[in-house]
Amino acid sequence: MKAGVVKETAPGERRVALVPDAVAKLQAAGIEVLVERGAGEGAWLSDSAYADAGATIVSAAELYRDTDVILTVTKPSADAVGLLRPGQAVIGMLAPLTCPELAAALAAQGVTAISLDRLPRTLTRTQPMDALSSQANVAGYKAALVAAAEFSRFFPLLITAAGTARPAKVLVLGAGVAGLQAIGTARRLGAVVSGYDVRPASKTEVESLGATFIELTAGVSAAGEGGYARELTAEERQAQQDELVAHIARHDVVITTAQVPGRRPPLLVTEDAIKAMAAGSVIVDMGASMLGGNASGSRPGETVVTGNGITIIGADNLPASMPTAASNAYSRNISTLLEYMTADGALAIDTSDEVQAGVVITHDGRVVQEGVAALLAAPPEPAEPEPAEPEPEGGADVDGPAD
Ligand code: NAD
């Protein structure tokens, strides 16, 4: 079997699906590795490093023509989809719940689509394949650094001859993998940190990192399936947003990481909350997306300064800003999954296997993953109104968040 490593083409994407260290391991498992010229450049990995590890460096055309499995980080572009052949497989973070039409297109083309972001994450054997966790870990770490870099005061308590600087108060909303890493990193930088999540189980995790857990009197508890949160009802959401205003207002820095799988990120920091914050405060919104994020007025990939002096960073792809760490981890995730699915030198698709039932999205010309098939069969949902945006008076400053 031949596996091909593409050069990512999404704007600002600097990660690569496989690092040279993984090449020999795959070869030992009977998998030959072809690498598109320049694929690792963004992560400081040269073609010669891949060649020295035993890979063959090829053009994009050769890669799509000669390989059985394409390895990617993000969704293939429309151009790349056009290059895929029937019977070929593509493995990556294909976001089939938010982009089911890609799954439909790949099925129609006879391509087997395997998506790491649909991996069942609570099984012991899937831990080394858990790309959502590995990338969230990088993102949470970087979010705290981005916040500290943007904040105009110190994070730690500093006592110097020139006076005492009080520590920054940091609030992390959403205490999953990214949130916990952001909490730990902000704590290591010396900030006084609080955390909040709708899953009650996160309380002990937040506290074990030395942070204070915020409990709302509204008492919203929304543990969903598979360890994830469920989407809140409109009433619950309103109660949560209203009560968070006062908590947000007394913090200098807010890092938001809240996600509900396949849904638009919940709005936690409302326009009222932003208005209540002190000038100079910083919000890093990891949920920022074209559909709206966790913070009102955040824009993916942009930094906005509101009229009352709040900097809102739309940090939508922080792992790409730490491409080497993110690629090293992702490479381990994707190569472990590829080996897991390989038998006798070929990809062995078996959706009766619990892991494969999650990750195999299309096969033999059909969308086989139940959740994605159900989504494609369902009538489209009516569009939700866009959340209100605060006026970016005082000059909206447009900047990449972390590159
Ligand atoms: P995620 O990226 O889906 O969401 C991030 C966090 O946002 C979650 O903690 C979620 O509860 C929270 N959230 C969602 N809606 C919210 C709202 N309205 N208000 C406040 N917070 C909200 O989550 P994740 O980081 O991928 O982790 C999801 C779960 O999977 C966690 O329970 C995590 O511990 C678990 N997990 C388990 C394993 C394992 O068992 N090995 C591995 C990875 C993750």
Side-chain angles (χ1 to χ4, degrees), residues 223-390:
E225 282 172 25
Y228 290 107
R230 64 165 170 82
E231 192 171 35
L232 302 186
T233 65
E235 294 74 38
E236 287 173 332
R237 194 160 53 219
Q238 188 67 52
Q240 181 192 54
Q241 289 171 351
D242 291 348
E243 202 174 340
L244 279 175
V245 171
H247 291 290
I248 290 166
R250 62 183 172 77
H251 285 87
D252 305 304
V253 170
V254 178
I255 297 171
T256 65
T257 76
Q259 297 283 349
V260 177
R263 314 297 300 181
R264 167 183 170 154
L267 179 69
L268 302 179
V269 185
T270 59
E271 200 178 343
D272 284 346
I274 292 170
K275 281 189 185 142
M277 294 178 87
S281 300
V282 173
I283 300 168
V284 177
D285 183 3
M286 284 178 47
S289 76
M290 295 312 286
L291 297 170
N294 292 149
S296 176
S298 72
R299 296 182 197 151
E302 295 185 15
T303 296
V304 174
V305 183
T306 66
N308 64 328
I310 314 305
T311 301
I312 307 173
I313 300 171
D316 60 332
N317 192 6
L318 289 174
S321 72
M322 285 190 50
T324 312
S327 301
N328 281 335
Y330 187 82
S331 172
R332 170 125 198 272
N333 302 143
I334 200 167
S335 53
T336 308
L337 178 65
L338 180 57
E339 279 186 68
Y340 178 81
M341 296 184 67
T342 300
D344 302 324
L347 210 53
I349 302 296
D350 171 13
T351 50
S352 66
D353 172 75
E354 196 178 0
V355 178
Q356 292 211 33
V359 296
V360 179
I361 311 300
T362 68
H363 187 55
D364 277 343
R366 286 187 311 116
V367 175
V368 294
Q369 214 275 341
E370 280 177 18
V372 182
L375 203 60
L376 284 164
E381 279 189 27
E384 272 190 54
E386 283 289 306
E389 292 192 7

Side-chain angles (χ1 to χ4, degrees), residues 121-122 127 130 133 173-178 196-199 205 226-230 232 240 257-261 266 268:
R121 297 169 73 195
T122 46
Q127 308 296 299
D130 189 347
S133 285
L173 299 175
V177 178
Y196 164 72
D197 199 294
V198 277
R199 287 180 301 104
E205 291 167 338
Y228 290 107
R230 64 165 170 82
L232 302 186
Q240 181 192 54
T257 76
Q259 297 283 349
V260 177
L268 302 179

Side-chain angles (χ1 to χ4, degrees), residues 161-253:
T164 300
R166 62 178 169 82
K169 285 187 261 173
V170 174
L171 172 61
V172 177
L173 299 175
V177 178
L180 292 173
Q181 185 57 257
I183 289 173
T185 307
R187 284 267 304 148
R188 285 192 288 275
L189 287 171
V192 174
V193 185
S194 305
Y196 164 72
D197 199 294
V198 277
R199 287 180 301 104
S202 62
K203 182 179 192 298
T204 47
E205 291 167 338
V206 168
E207 288 174 346
S208 72
L209 292 169
T212 305
F213 188 76
I214 288 181
E215 267 168 289
L216 301 189
T217 53
V220 177
S221 162
E225 282 172 25
Y228 290 107
R230 64 165 170 82
E231 192 171 35
L232 302 186
T233 65
E235 294 74 38
E236 287 173 332
R237 194 160 53 219
Q238 188 67 52
Q240 181 192 54
Q241 289 171 351
D242 291 348
E243 202 174 340
L244 279 175
V245 171
H247 291 290
I248 290 166
R250 62 183 172 77
H251 285 87
D252 305 304
V253 170

Side-chain angles (χ1 to χ4, degrees), residues 16-34:
V16 60
L18 203 75
V19 300
D21 280 354
V23 173
K25 198 163 156 265
L26 288 183
Q27 277 177 336
I31 302 166
E32 199 181 319
V33 178
L34 281 67

